[in-house]
Amino acid sequence: MQLILTGLGEVDSVSKLLEVRNLKTHFETEEGTVKAVNGVTFDIHRGQTLGVVGESGCGKSVTAQSILRIEGARGKIVEGDILFYPDPKGGDPVNIAKLDSDGQEIRAIRGKEISIIFQEPMTSFCPVYTIGNQIMESIILHQKAEALQARERAVETLRLVGIPKPEERIDEYPHRLSGGLRQRAMIAMALSCHPQLLIADEPTTALDVTIQAQILELMRELQREMGMAIMLITHSLGVIAEMAQRVIVMYLGRIVEDAEVNELFDNPKHPYTRALMYCVPRLGSGIERLQPILGSVPDPYNIPTGCSFYPRCPEFIEGLCDVEAPTPVKISENHSVSCFLYGKGGAADGSGHTD
């Protein structure tokens, strides 16, 4: 079995766990069609962490929801495939995109094989049930356990994520827990059935930096122990640098750059990726001002023609970027970018600068 070395040490086989191919998820509203995810392609390998970064409204969370088929009543996967490989020894994949979102097949995967940590645990937990009831429900459903056995497993899971006195905390209601404990309880619920893939959608939102560091360290430890893959959605490039082995950068429903984490930070290519990095404060930079990204993410009902980033891009090529949509260009074996600076209309040497 082939192994790779990452910041987390050796991880499991690099065989694919999930393949997303040309995924398009649209929402039909009274105002028009929102193309929240508009042709996304990426892989997630066993035991690895894939980072997904971008501004709010770029399609990160909808991509995650599409994988679990919880895109909502108005959301619909209109094109593409989500191929899930449940058996590490091989076998045919399950095309999640073709399953009934309320059917038994996806229910057997959702919560058991693929779990999610939602962005805000206070609104994700049901307020009228204890955290123990909500964790036990998943265990009873997926592992066919009796109530007493499910409670014992829930207590062990709460202990695993570092909640003190889990025998007592299991009977607490969500509003009686601090933000950090609620987030740990949410992680416990997501891990209760030992999933192969954990989707973490902004798992440290609204937490102070000390609790954030504890949650990230907890996720790293649990990944080592359980060998699961993680899809980590975040706005923070610092979190990406600390946690991920591979990164995709999203903008308005598309992937604009895909690279290994070290390659991305050492050699960012897309103007949007570089703009995100210029917004991050650096130690030792003195009084150097941060460089904000000009403008804002466009109205989803009125996406610009051509490259959707061109109205905010300082390097856009008039007559090209505002007319045609770029396709991915391979910079190296593990690095691709969707930008005309590296293909049609760009520099021949691939430097990313035109004359």
Side-chain angles (χ1 to χ4, degrees):
M1 180 174 65
Q2 185 181 7
L3 297 173
I4 62 171
L5 290 173
T6 70
L8 300 177
E10 284 191 351
V11 299
D12 292 340
S13 170
V14 296
S15 61
K16 291 177 184 176
L17 177 63
L18 193 79
E19 293 182 15
V20 177
R21 294 288 176 267
N22 194 35
L23 177 65
K24 295 182 180 181
T25 303
H26 296 174
F27 291 81
E28 296 296 336
T29 70
E30 295 177 357
E31 292 81 6
T33 300
V34 176
K35 299 178 180 180
V37 179
N38 198 23
V40 165
T41 296
F42 62 88
D43 299 329
I44 298 179
H45 295 280
R46 299 182 188 279
Q48 292 183 308
T49 299
L50 173 74
V52 185
V53 68
E55 294 171 279
S56 295
C58 288
K60 306 184 301 298
S61 293
V62 176
T63 300
Q65 292 163 9
S66 299
I67 292 172
L68 285 168
R69 299 306 311 278
I70 54 173
E71 60 270 18
R74 294 195 174 187
K76 183 180 180 181
I77 296 176
V78 298
E79 191 175 328
D81 300 298
I82 305 171
L83 303 178
F84 174 59
Y85 296 83
D87 187 354
K89 297 180 181 179
D92 295 331
V94 177
N95 192 345
I96 293 175
K98 306 303 181 185
L99 300 181
D100 179 358
S101 60
D102 291 323
Q104 289 298 318
E105 289 180 277
I106 188 60
R107 287 173 180 268
I109 295 172
R110 187 191 298 143
K112 181 182 180 182
E113 302 289 351
I114 305 175
S115 290
I116 186 168
I117 303 171
F118 289 103
Q119 189 166 350
E120 177 45 66
M122 190 61 198
T123 57
S124 302
F125 277 116
C126 180
V128 299
Y129 291 98
T130 65
I131 61 169
N133 287 143
Q134 296 178 67
I135 296 172
M136 289 167 58
E137 181 182 21
S138 178
I139 296 172
I140 291 171
L141 175 64
H142 291 297
Q143 300 187 356
K144 311 302 180 185
E146 298 294 333
L148 181 59
Q149 188 180 26
R151 182 181 175 89
E152 292 173 352
R153 292 183 185 177
V155 169
E156 287 304 312
T157 306
L158 291 173
R159 182 178 288 111
L160 179 67
V161 299
I163 292 182
K165 299 181 180 179
E167 299 85 355
E168 300 175 13
R169 297 285 187 179
I170 193 173
D171 295 317
E172 295 281 12
Y173 288 90
H175 69 274
R176 293 179 58 86
L177 300 178
S178 66
L181 287 180
R182 275 198 302 269
Q183 195 65 288
R184 289 174 183 266
M186 176 60 69
I187 295 174
M189 185 162 67
L191 299 181
S192 60
C193 294
H194 303 283
Q196 297 194 61
L197 172 61
L198 175 66
I199 300 174
D201 188 358
E202 294 281 355
T204 56
T205 295
L207 300 179
D208 63 58
V209 291
T210 302
I211 302 301
Q212 174 178 294
Q214 293 174 2
I215 294 297
L216 294 178
E217 179 59 30
L218 171 64
M219 290 176 61
R220 276 199 300 264
E221 290 176 0
L222 294 173
Q223 185 179 36
R224 290 192 194 101
E225 293 176 14
M226 302 176 68
M228 64 186 175
I230 295 177
M231 179 179 174
L232 178 61
I233 299 170
T234 180
H235 294 284
S236 173
L237 286 169
V239 171
I240 290 291
E242 185 176 354
M243 293 289 294
Q245 287 86 53
R246 190 167 194 87
V247 189
I248 58 175
V249 182
M250 291 190 67
Y251 188 78
L252 267 184
R254 296 180 182 271
I255 294 175
V256 297
E257 191 157 3
D258 180 349
E260 291 185 347
V261 65
N262 292 334
E263 174 76 12
L264 187 83
F265 280 87
D266 291 342
N267 190 26
K269 290 296 186 183
H270 199 281
Y272 180 59
T273 307
R274 294 201 294 265
L276 289 175
M277 292 186 177
Y278 292 150
C279 295
V280 179
R282 293 172 174 78
L283 291 175
S285 61
I287 59 173
E288 180 182 347
R289 292 178 62 88
L290 298 179
Q291 300 180 33
I293 305 175
L294 298 177
S296 59
V297 178
D299 183 343
Y301 299 107
N302 190 23
I303 297 177
T305 55
C307 175
S308 54
F309 186 62
Y310 93 83
R312 309 172 68 188
C313 181
E315 302 177 73
F316 93 95
I317 304 167
E318 189 173 358
L320 182 60
C321 297
D322 53 350
V323 174
E324 299 182 31
T327 55
V329 175
K330 215 168 179 57
I331 301 299
S332 65
E333 182 63 28
N334 295 302
H335 191 172
S336 63
V337 60
S338 294
C339 182
F340 288 122
L341 294 174
Y342 308 93
K344 181 179 178 180
D349 61 359
S351 65
H353 300 283
T354 55
D355 294 334

